[in-house]
Amino acid sequence: MSAIIINGSIVHYEAIGRGKPLIFLHGWLGSWRYWLGSMEELSPYFKTYALDFWGFGDSDKTYERFTLRDYLELLEAFVENMGIVKLSLVGHSLGAIVAVRFAASHPDRVEKLVAVSLPISGSSINFALFRENRFTRLAPPEYPELQREIQKASSKAIEKSVWSVMELDLRLELLNLRIPTLVIYGEKDGIISTEALTAFKDFKAPLRFIVIPGARHFPMLEESSKFNRLLKEFLALGVELDKLEVKQEWRRKMG
């Protein structure tokens, strides 16, 4: 377990591998831990990092620094503290928003970007699912370790960070990005809607959207081999965005 102090508060992180820096950012439901499989898959090519936002995992839950702005500042400070000059980013839901905002603010520092289950606007989020502090019901029951990580999170951190993005609109930031950007969704995600994708249907590289059949909100767990192969081909092997696809032979055999 590794940790650094940012703005007087503990930020927990883990690091695996050697090479160029690649940072994984978790979402509202969980912590760094659900990235472990992806980190191991990419570690032969990158020095992979995954951190816990304040209020989640093993990071500080004492001070209420739980807004989108707070987490963007956390990432900026983390990168500076680690002496990272250039990096690639993989973010999921809340972490995907932070990753897009960081890339838009620091285009010279980000080589490639992957945004998973990205809410393009506040209207993309099913806010009703985050009410009543019953967050564990949103985790797939076949992943009890994920439910345990959700239980470790501060309910205030989840609620405050969710409400801090109600007026979110990332359309212009996505359209203005000039770095290769891959956006991945699960076909059956009930938490983040993909309706806003219609605004990008005719948009060309460097922005590409891919939907993984059968996956829900956690494609890195539910369809891990397909998801990690996409990451590896895009981030490590240099496959061009328009050549990436969820290939037929990856699909689970039925019957």
Side-chain angles (χ1 to χ4, degrees):
M1 175 174 170
S2 301
I4 60 172
I5 303 297
I6 294 176
N7 294 341
S9 296
I10 292 175
V11 174
H12 165 248
Y13 73 94
E14 299 293 340
I16 305 173
R18 303 174 72 177
K20 292 182 178 181
L22 171 62
I23 297 180
F24 290 84
L25 303 172
H26 68 79
W28 283 292
L29 303 171
S31 69
W32 80 276
R33 194 171 297 279
Y34 63 67
W35 288 123
L36 183 57
S38 297
M39 293 172 71
E40 291 174 340
E41 188 77 19
L42 274 294
S43 62
Y45 310 93
F46 296 93
K47 175 71 175 286
T48 65
Y49 299 86
L51 56 87
D52 287 331
F53 288 132
W54 286 313
F56 295 86
D58 293 310
S59 286
D60 199 312
K61 301 177 178 66
T62 305
Y63 302 102
E64 293 191 19
R65 299 178 175 133
F66 302 150
T67 68
L68 176 58
R69 178 70 246 175
D70 293 323
Y71 293 140
L72 180 56
E73 290 176 356
L74 187 159
L75 176 58
E76 290 171 339
F78 181 84
V79 169
E80 292 302 320
N81 272 268
M82 291 295 164
I84 296 172
V85 177
K86 198 125 180 168
L87 69 154
S88 293
L89 285 168
V90 180
H92 178 236
S93 62
L94 171 61
I97 301 172
V98 175
V100 169
R101 283 274 161 92
F102 183 92
S105 301
H106 308 279
D108 57 326
R109 303 191 68 173
V110 180
E111 291 191 354
K112 292 184 179 180
L113 171 64
V114 180
V116 187
S117 306
L118 172 70
I120 292 175
S121 66
S123 61
S124 304
I125 303 168
N126 189 342
F127 287 101
L129 295 176
F130 289 93
R131 294 178 184 143
E132 302 176 7
N133 295 338
R134 296 173 62 189
F135 308 120
T136 55
R137 64 183 173 175
L138 302 181
E142 63 268 37
Y143 301 105
E145 69 280 7
L146 178 59
Q147 295 192 11
R148 289 194 296 271
E149 290 300 302
I150 294 173
Q151 289 174 338
K152 287 171 63 175
S154 161
S155 60
K156 285 186 178 180
I158 298 175
E159 291 170 2
K160 194 167 184 178
S161 58
V162 166
W163 301 124
S164 76
V165 301
M166 287 189 71
E167 305 301 321
L168 178 76
D169 190 339
L170 292 176
R171 286 174 294 181
L172 281 178
E173 283 160 297
L174 285 169
L175 288 170
N176 289 327
L177 284 177
R178 292 295 175 262
I179 60 172
T181 300
L182 174 63
V183 184
I184 301 174
Y185 290 99
E187 177 189 29
K188 299 180 178 180
D189 193 333
I191 297 174
I192 304 299
S193 167
T194 60
E195 290 179 4
L197 292 185
T198 55
F200 296 90
K201 62 180 180 180
D202 298 319
F203 194 76
K204 306 302 180 185
L207 180 63
R208 174 78 189 281
F209 293 85
I210 288 182
V211 176
I212 298 182
R216 290 163 287 172
H217 187 63
F218 295 92
M220 73 291 293
L221 299 176
E222 297 151 347
E223 295 290 350
S224 59
S225 61
K226 300 175 188 177
F227 179 84
N228 289 333
R229 184 166 175 176
L230 279 173
L231 288 193
K232 184 163 70 172
E233 290 195 344
F234 174 54
L235 295 172
L237 303 183
V239 176
E240 296 178 5
L241 281 168
D242 61 354
K243 302 284 196 307
L244 291 171
E245 59 180 358
V246 182
K247 297 176 182 176
Q248 183 71 30
E249 61 266 23
W250 301 358
R251 295 179 181 170
R252 184 183 300 125
K253 295 181 180 180
M254 305 297 289

